[in-house]
Amino acid sequence: MTHQTTNTGGGRAAPSFPPNWLKKTVSLAFTVAITLLGLLFVTFMIGRVMPIDPVLAVIGERASQAQYDQVYLELGLDKPLIVQFGIYVGDVLQGDFGTSIRTGKPVAEDIARVFPATLELATLGTLLGVVLGVPLGVLAAVYRGSWIDQISRLIGLVGYSMPIFWLGMMGLLIFYGILGWVAGPGRLGVFYEGLVPTRTGLLLVDAIIAGDWDVFKDALSHIILPACLLGYFSLAYISRMTRSFMLEQLNSEYVITARVKGLSEWHVVWRHAFRNIAIQLITVIALAYANLLEGSVLTEIIFAWPGIGSYITTSLLSNDMASVLGGTVVIGSIFVCLNILSDLLYRFFDPRAKS
Amino acid sequence: MTPQSNASAKPGLKAWLLSDTPQSRGQARAAAWYQGWLRLTSNKLTSLGLIVLTLLVLAALFAPMLATDNPFAQDLGARLKPPGWEGHYFGTDSLGRDIYSRLLYGARISIYIVLLVALVAPLLGLIIGTTAGYFGGWVDTVLMRVTDIFLAFPRLILALAFVAALGAGIENAVLAISLTAWPPYARIARAETLTIRNSDFIHAIRLQGAGPVRIITRHIWPLCISSLVIRVTLDMAGIILTAAGLGFLGLGAQPPSPEWGAMISEGRKYILDYWWVATIPGLAIFAISLAFNLIGDGLRDVLDPKESGK
């Protein structure tokens, strides 16, 4: 697991002046800050080793030497690397990722525009993964070795071996091209574009707020295939983890005690064993969600979904480095935050982790 | 090593390998390997994975002999022909090239990428992890913090950013995947190092005057290898999928190279009318990563019985 292990320092037993929770909070904040700073440093260095001249990218090939020198100074390229890095961090902290060469707008503005589309897709995908994956994992553990366990194993195996972009294309070919059950690539049909006002940026939610059910139906028929695709990959992961957590619980002594007491199987599984894995599951779901944000890159390309993944790759192909790095920083930060959040939830809810 | 002659090898060799009282160290070691192999192949799915992998390696090795056409030869008159058309087993692509022959040559590229990454990434992780574990203190803190930072990055996105900086191409794709794949290996190598760095044999070597470089490379590395090998096998499928993803995005192998991900990307335009162009290379990728996953699971069951008990 890519678990964030936070080092709380050798916790002394005696109650000292800075209380324990304060020390933990400070140390956690320090960890987050260092990790995010490291993330920025990596993207900064990537931006520096790039073989494209950042000045030429702004002014174009035919500018005069005087213009070149002016922009060179404006971008701060004459300063030492460490100072440039400081300026970069300061800019990012203020939400300034530079200007996209491709769209001519600030990168932050671009990302704010495309991000809701990715969020909508990843959320729906995770939801599908949880709703189907958790029960499947539990059943596979309870009926270990039965056909349902075999199915869950098969789903996992295929999920870990299938190129996501290829499965997406096959889905389009079958469900759109041959059967015609769902709408094709894109987020909305041409006829429905601009009908509902943008409030949240999540089309399904916006359509509900506006009460426009035609738009809702069209948006749903566009999102359902990519969401199922992402949902499948998170289902593979979530059910596999649920199964292994559940098996661990079902083999423990308190479950035997509960059975000896004569509790029903349903009671033993759901009220005793399942409640003990709920916290571990939160961690897994947070990770699955983070993975989907990343997995959406290839999926968005296939389905022409105007999210952050499409944004990064289109920018990449037109050498628009500011956008690529901005997108990388945003996804990376969310990734880090979700990791830490799941870690926090785990400590907060599980009394065993507090000792 | 073996006293038997080759002619009577079959029953004799087996008995020699399964003997309860090995006569030499070499025999004991060979017996251990053989029994591991028997357990590995007793699992039907793992055997299937091994067969598929062997076929792939053979296809890559003998590609020039097995191919029916030149994989780069274009024939615009025979564009987008369906499978089975005039001796083209899997049909032709948008430039009239034979898909079957391209698949065979593509297997070479896949193996090349996987082998390179499987060499570079664990080596990087091994160096960083053992250094951190052996020296401890601030070296450990700094190196592990760096590892955590790389772990915190979404892998595909980081690989994308690296390739963007380095330029598209197979070697750069290998480098980018390796740069994103090493952190787990570093963690494993560090954990192994921590368990052995205070053992008596390390102290003894140090008393004999061995320096840290010698201790790490000659005495700690060999003990880390086996746990790294399992992990690498389990990661092979992921490496193939990432490489194919980069190829699909046009950031890996460049045309006209018959890389499978790039072939899918070419076929994408024609997916609704000429399904085979994109479908067949995808099936090839699926078969190979499935084979690696099956082998990895089987290997873990043999080498790490604790995990398989679950």
Side-chain angles (χ1 to χ4, degrees), chain A residues 31 34 38-39 46 50-51 144 157 160-163 165-166 169-170 173 294 297 301-302 316 321 328 331 335-336, chain B residues 145 149 152 154-157 161 164-165 241 248 251 268 271 278-279 282-283 285-286 289-290 293-294 309-310:
Chain A
T31 310
I34 289 286
L39 198 119
I46 290 176
M50 180 184 56
R144 189 181 171 191
L157 209 51
Y160 284 104
S161 314
M162 192 75 93
F165 51 98
W166 182 74
M169 283 165 62
M170 291 303 114
L173 172 65
E294 181 194 22
V297 172
I301 304 284
I302 296 291
L316 197 67
M321 221 42 198
T328 310
I331 294 193
F335 213 76
V336 172
Chain B
R145 186 55 72 204
I149 289 169
R155 278 174 70 170
L156 182 70
I157 306 251
L241 292 183
F248 175 75
L251 298 169
R268 195 185 146 206
I271 182 74
T279 306
L283 282 176
I285 298 176
F286 176 55
S289 21
L290 192 64
N293 273 329
L294 292 175
K310 278 188 180 174

Side-chain angles (χ1 to χ4, degrees), chain A:
Chain A
M1 286 311 78
T2 56
H3 238 281
Q4 209 67 31
T5 47
T6 41
N7 190 351
T8 48
R12 271 152 252 145
S16 48
F17 161 59
N20 232 354
W21 61 266
L22 187 66
K23 262 195 275 180
K24 273 187 186 161
T25 316
V26 169
S27 124
L28 183 71
F30 185 69
T31 310
V32 177
I34 289 286
T35 312
L36 289 179
L37 206 62
L39 198 119
L40 285 179
F41 186 70
V42 174
T43 50
F44 173 76
M45 286 319 284
I46 290 176
R48 282 290 164 268
V49 299
M50 180 184 56
I52 308 158
D53 187 335
V55 180
L56 286 183
V58 173
I59 58 175
E61 295 285 339
R62 279 193 296 272
S64 67
Q65 186 63 35
Q67 274 175 313
Y68 184 94
D69 292 341
Q70 193 199 340
V71 174
Y72 187 81
L73 291 180
E74 269 173 24
L75 291 175
L77 293 173
D78 56 328
K79 301 193 175 71
L81 263 187
I82 186 77
V83 177
Q84 288 187 36
F85 179 59
I87 296 173
Y88 175 67
V89 172
D91 284 348
V92 168
L93 285 181
Q94 292 170 39
D96 179 6
F97 293 100
T99 307
S100 159
I101 307 164
R102 190 169 57 90
T103 64
K105 288 186 192 143
V107 172
E109 201 177 290
D110 278 345
I111 291 179
R113 181 169 42 81
V114 297
F115 189 69
T118 301
L119 190 70
E120 190 174 30
L121 190 58
T123 309
L124 201 60
T126 312
L127 221 58
L128 283 170
V130 172
V131 167
L132 299 173
V134 172
L136 182 66
V138 170
L139 287 177
V142 173
Y143 301 105
R144 189 181 171 191
S146 69
W147 59 271
I148 197 155
D149 193 14
Q150 302 297 341
I151 287 182
S152 103
R153 181 150 185 241
L154 190 72
I155 287 179
L157 209 51
V158 172
Y160 284 104
S161 314
M162 192 75 93
I164 189 169
F165 51 98
W166 182 74
L167 193 60
M169 283 165 62
M170 291 303 114
L172 264 183
L173 172 65
I174 295 169
F175 295 108
Y176 168 66
I178 299 176
L179 297 173
W181 289 355
V182 298
R187 223 179 151 194
L188 206 55
V190 192
F191 302 119
Y192 297 100
E193 249 166 57
L195 279 187
V196 288
T198 307
R199 288 206 177 83
T200 57
L202 311 172
L203 255 178
L204 290 175
V205 179
D206 281 347
I208 292 177
I209 293 176
D212 195 329
W213 296 106
D214 286 336
V215 173
F216 181 81
K217 256 171 41 196
D218 189 63
L220 191 65
S221 102
H222 274 91
I223 202 176
I224 195 73
L225 193 56
C228 281
L229 183 71
L230 287 177
Y232 177 73
F233 284 87
S234 94
L235 163 75
Y237 175 62
I238 291 176
S239 67
R240 191 149 149 163
M241 297 309 285
T242 309
R243 176 181 180 273
S244 103
F245 292 155
M246 265 317 259
L247 279 180
E248 208 173 297
Q249 297 296 328
L250 290 175
N251 286 332
S252 56
E253 289 181 351
Y254 76 89
V255 167
I256 300 175
T257 314
R259 289 210 170 109
V260 169
K261 264 179 16 183
L263 293 181
S264 68
E265 188 64 22
W266 175 268
H267 205 95
V268 170
V269 170
W270 291 101
R271 299 290 297 276
H272 286 254
F274 185 72
R275 279 180 74 163
N276 275 313
I277 69 161
I279 301 151
Q280 285 168 298
L281 269 187
I282 293 177
T283 316
V284 166
I285 292 168
L287 284 177
Y289 195 52
N291 284 333
L292 277 204
L293 282 179
E294 181 194 22
S296 63
V297 172
L298 289 166
T299 316
E300 282 177 10
I301 304 284
I302 296 291
F303 290 94
W305 194 260
I308 196 165
S310 298
Y311 181 72
I312 291 179
T313 32
T314 348
S315 306
L316 197 67
L317 295 176
S318 45
N319 284 333
D320 183 359
M321 221 42 198
S323 316
V324 174
L325 295 183
T328 310
V329 169
V330 169
I331 294 193
S333 314
I334 296 174
F335 213 76
V336 172
C337 292
L338 278 174
N339 264 321
I340 289 165
L341 189 73
S342 72
D343 204 42
L344 275 182
L345 283 174
Y346 190 79
R347 282 163 192 243
F348 187 75
F349 283 113
D350 194 336
R352 280 167 300 185
K354 277 182 186 150
S355 54

Side-chain angles (χ1 to χ4, degrees), chain B residues 126-207:
Chain B
L126 195 60
I127 293 173
I128 291 172
T130 45
T131 310
Y134 182 75
F135 289 106
W138 65 268
V139 178
D140 186 30
T141 313
V142 169
L143 286 180
M144 281 302 113
R145 186 55 72 204
V146 173
T147 310
D148 279 347
I149 289 169
F150 273 86
L151 267 181
F153 255 110
R155 278 174 70 170
L156 182 70
I157 306 251
L158 185 60
L160 278 183
F162 273 125
V163 176
L166 300 167
I170 295 188
E171 280 76 15
N172 288 342
V174 167
L175 199 60
I177 299 173
S178 305
L179 282 174
T180 58
W182 63 267
Y185 306 122
R187 284 234 173 139
I188 294 172
R190 174 175 174 269
E192 293 276 334
T193 311
L194 286 181
T195 61
I196 48 179
R197 79 165 176 186
N198 283 326
S199 47
D200 289 341
F201 78 95
I202 297 286
H203 289 307
I205 303 156
R206 201 178 292 144
L207 282 176

Side-chain angles (χ1 to χ4, degrees), chain B residues 46-57:
Chain B
T46 309
S47 312
L48 182 71
L50 282 170
I51 292 170
V52 172
L53 190 67
T54 316
L55 285 179
L56 172 84
V57 173

